[in-house]
Amino acid sequence: MRFGACCQTLAKPVLQVKKALIILRKLFGTNLVLIGLLASLVLAGMLWPPDPLARLETRHYDFWSGRFSGPGDLPIAIVAIDGKSLRRIGDWPWPRTKVAEMIRLLSKSGADSLGLCLLYSHEALTPGLQEVEAMREQIADPTWRGGKKTTQRVDQLLADAGRRLDQDAHLIGAVRAAKNAVLPYKFSSRPLSENGPQEPSGLLIVNSIKVPQGHDRPPAPLTEIGSALNQRHTGVGLAVDVRETFNRLARKAGALGHLNLHMDPDGLVRSVPLLINYQDRLCPAMSLQLALKHLRGRIKDITLDPADFGINGLRFKGLQLPTDRDYRMLLKYDPQWTATRTYSFVDVLNETVAADTFRDKIILLGVTASEETPFYRTALAGDATAVEISANLLAGILAPRHLARPFWAWMLEIGILLYFGLFLAFVIPRVNLKVGASILGIFLVTWYGAASGLLAAYGFRINVWGPVLLTVCGYGLFGLRSLVFKTQADQQEANKTLGLSFQGQG
């Protein structure tokens, strides 16, 4: 009875394993079906949020994009309102006459164009000027009893004082004299007033592109897959309201450009929108406008490339800029390159910097003092201000090579996914697990090295972790199944040996 009980005890787990294997075989069928289901799950994760591999992909991109060659020696400089300038001149904001003085100085130095990253959305409130205007109104009153010559003299003195006190007039005159000055505006994702979003001004319309017909048409299925794999459409390119430079000043500018940035879900700035859709107008970034000024182009020279295979882009004056569906361009922020091209406002104003330093240069003037402006996190390069990011974006636009997600990237990723899947389905089951692991290891190292090399050498952003996840999970399933089969065979051999032993004992 004891031997029979032992046989029944050993037979129960074997039967359970057999039943489980039969159910698994009926459920998943062949190796091809099993790998096909796993590949479909991985592809679905790549196509639709939440992407479980997004964090790994961005870490991979951050590391290797830092190895991509910098923009090189481009005619770009930053005049920074930094901590040193605040200590010498005073707390920010300064009188607008001080900024006007700098604009005139840079214009005389032969600057090619100037981007003013300071948004003056309202005219200055100058109590002294208001008092002068009130006094002029009094002496202009017919009941004024002063002598005619005295009145004219006093009026002239007051007019001269008014011109000196009118900060906006000084700034407007400096911008008009600069000719190629680009002034900012900024979009908001929510209404800025209780009256709702304001209509775009005539100046904003002139400095923008009308959304082409069919821009929002549903893409074809193949294009939709390409769009999803290249970069998901987040709607970040749509703006709700805008804050513009006040009209009297904006009318004297050579162009207008937005200063908006884009932050990824992890809070890092990896791309900047070159165009933002505001009430069916595509409005360019300040860096894009400065590039147009430098190349002697105009806003109408910009051509929008169609979304072939899910990729957009801009073309103008021989440049072809790759973007995503929201016209965001990948940013390469180089802190060392930025530092060597940054000059303190007070040093330039005191002419301790050589006069010809800014000749034929594109100048960006903005605040970099930590206590007066927000800082934005960039990938592997620390924090940066808006003017520094704009300078690096401008360098990326003018550089001969760009960081980009090429239109063929998603086809390559799917091709590698299918290649690894077929290898797992047809080759791995027919070889020893150790040999299979060695082969797959070589494949994975080659794939990761090729994708990293394309990014570091050519700036092509390729997502690497989808095929890696499929390979690791697929190999793990085959290893687990092999272990189950081996355990089953061992159990059968043990049962056979036990049965023969019992038979020998009669």
Side-chain angles (χ1 to χ4, degrees):
M1 293 296 293
R2 288 183 179 179
F3 291 120
C6 290
C7 291
Q8 291 179 0
T9 303
L10 292 173
K12 285 182 180 179
V14 174
L15 291 173
Q16 291 176 354
V17 171
K18 285 183 177 179
K19 289 180 180 179
L21 289 175
I22 292 172
I23 292 173
L24 288 174
R25 285 177 180 174
K26 289 182 178 179
L27 182 63
F28 295 108
T30 64
N31 295 331
L32 182 60
V33 175
L34 177 65
I35 296 300
L37 290 173
L38 185 59
S40 299
L41 290 175
V42 174
L43 184 59
M46 296 166 63
L47 282 170
W48 293 286
D51 184 359
L53 301 175
R55 188 176 181 85
L56 290 175
E57 296 291 2
T58 54
R59 290 292 180 88
H60 166 79
Y61 170 75
D62 292 343
F63 181 80
W64 289 106
S65 64
R67 275 69 186 164
F68 182 63
S69 59
D73 189 17
L74 293 171
I76 300 172
I78 300 173
V79 175
I81 301 173
D82 53 3
K84 178 181 178 181
S85 301
L86 296 183
R87 289 190 296 272
R88 297 280 186 86
I89 299 175
D91 293 336
W92 184 260
W94 297 333
R96 298 182 184 186
T97 52
K98 189 66 67 176
V99 176
E101 184 180 356
M102 175 57 69
I103 294 175
R104 292 186 185 277
L105 180 59
L106 293 174
S107 298
K108 290 179 181 178
S109 299
D112 177 81
S113 54
L114 172 66
L116 189 66
C117 299
L118 304 172
L119 179 56
Y120 295 111
S121 56
H122 299 91
E123 298 189 16
L125 178 62
T126 310
L129 180 60
Q130 293 176 347
E131 289 296 327
V132 169
E133 293 297 332
M135 293 172 67
R136 292 190 68 190
E137 290 178 3
Q138 290 180 16
I139 65 174
D141 192 329
T143 60
W144 176 260
R145 295 184 178 181
K148 185 177 181 180
K149 291 184 178 180
T150 303
T151 300
Q152 291 177 347
R153 178 60 178 164
V154 171
D155 184 67
Q156 183 62 43
L157 291 173
L158 291 175
D160 294 340
R163 282 190 291 270
R164 289 192 298 270
L165 289 172
D166 192 348
Q167 297 186 32
D168 287 336
H170 284 276
L171 187 57
I172 291 169
V175 169
R176 181 177 60 246
K179 295 182 180 179
N180 276 341
V182 179
L183 298 185
Y185 52 89
K186 199 164 186 179
F187 291 110
S188 172
S189 58
R190 60 181 184 273
L192 297 174
S193 67
E194 296 179 355
N195 298 326
Q198 66 179 31
E199 292 293 326
S201 66
L203 290 172
L204 194 63
I205 292 175
V206 170
N207 285 273
S208 62
I209 306 169
K210 184 175 176 57
V211 174
Q213 292 183 355
H215 180 266
D216 295 325
R217 67 181 183 275
L222 182 62
T223 303
E224 180 63 30
I225 293 175
S227 300
L229 282 170
N230 271 313
Q231 192 162 356
R232 295 182 179 89
H233 178 63
T234 61
V236 72
L238 297 174
V240 174
D241 210 343
V242 63
R243 189 158 61 99
E244 301 183 49
T245 298
F246 70 90
N247 189 264
R248 276 207 307 146
L249 177 60
R251 288 205 309 264
K252 305 303 179 183
L256 302 176
H258 74 75
L259 289 177
N260 288 71
L261 303 177
H262 166 68
M263 288 182 287
D264 287 343
D266 59 0
L268 271 66
V269 176
R270 295 185 179 89
S271 60
V272 180
L274 297 183
L275 297 173
I276 289 182
N277 189 339
Y278 181 65
Q279 299 190 16
D280 293 331
R281 305 294 304 186
L282 296 177
C283 305
M286 173 175 284
S287 298
L288 183 58
Q289 288 281 35
L290 287 170
L292 282 168
K293 291 294 180 185
H294 178 68
L295 297 174
R296 304 298 181 263
R298 292 176 292 178
I299 189 73
K300 67 178 185 179
D301 295 329
I302 295 178
T303 302
L304 305 179
D305 286 341
D308 295 332
F309 297 102
I311 191 68
N312 287 71
L314 309 178
R315 285 185 290 112
F316 64 92
K317 290 293 183 178
L319 291 179
Q320 188 164 4
L321 307 179
T323 69
D324 65 3
R325 289 178 63 187
D326 295 308
Y327 295 107
R328 294 190 303 251
M329 183 177 178
L330 291 173
L331 174 71
K332 160 70 175 179
Y333 181 76
D334 188 337
Q336 184 177 359
W337 180 90
T338 305
T340 57
R341 287 160 175 80
T342 301
Y343 303 89
S344 176
F345 186 101
V346 69
D347 290 340
V348 178
L349 194 64
N350 294 336
E351 299 185 5
T352 57
V353 179
D356 60 347
T357 302
F358 303 107
R359 186 173 301 279
D360 298 326
K361 295 283 183 67
I362 309 171
I363 314 298
L364 289 98
L365 174 60
V367 181
T368 62
S370 58
E371 61 270 28
E372 298 295 346
T373 189
F375 277 70
Y376 302 91
R377 294 169 56 208
T378 60
L380 297 179
D383 297 340
T385 61
V387 64
E388 292 170 331
I389 292 175
S390 296
N392 280 265
L393 177 63
L394 175 60
I397 292 173
L398 295 177
R401 295 188 301 170
H402 314 96
L403 285 171
R405 173 103 171 128
F407 73 91
W408 45 262
W410 66 275
M411 293 184 281
L412 175 63
E413 292 159 7
I414 291 181
I416 295 296
L417 193 74
L418 293 176
Y419 177 76
F420 282 172
L422 293 174
F423 194 87
L424 286 167
F426 293 108
V427 178
I428 295 301
R430 291 172 173 78
V431 299
N432 183 277
L433 284 179
K434 292 183 178 179
V435 175
S438 301
I439 297 173
L440 286 177
I442 295 173
F443 283 178
L444 290 178
V445 170
T446 303
W447 162 239
Y448 185 85
S452 303
L454 287 172
L455 179 54
Y458 301 100
F460 296 149
R461 182 176 184 176
I462 310 295
N463 292 331
V464 298
W465 294 109
V468 172
L469 178 64
L470 172 65
T471 302
V472 172
C473 293
Y475 183 80
L477 286 176
F478 282 124
L480 179 61
R481 190 167 68 169
S482 176
L483 179 62
V484 171
F485 286 160
K486 185 176 183 302
T487 302
Q488 180 186 10
D490 291 343
Q491 290 286 354
Q492 290 177 348
E493 185 65 28
N495 291 336
K496 181 179 179 181
T497 303
L498 183 62
L500 291 174
S501 175
F502 290 158
Q503 185 180 9
Q505 296 176 12

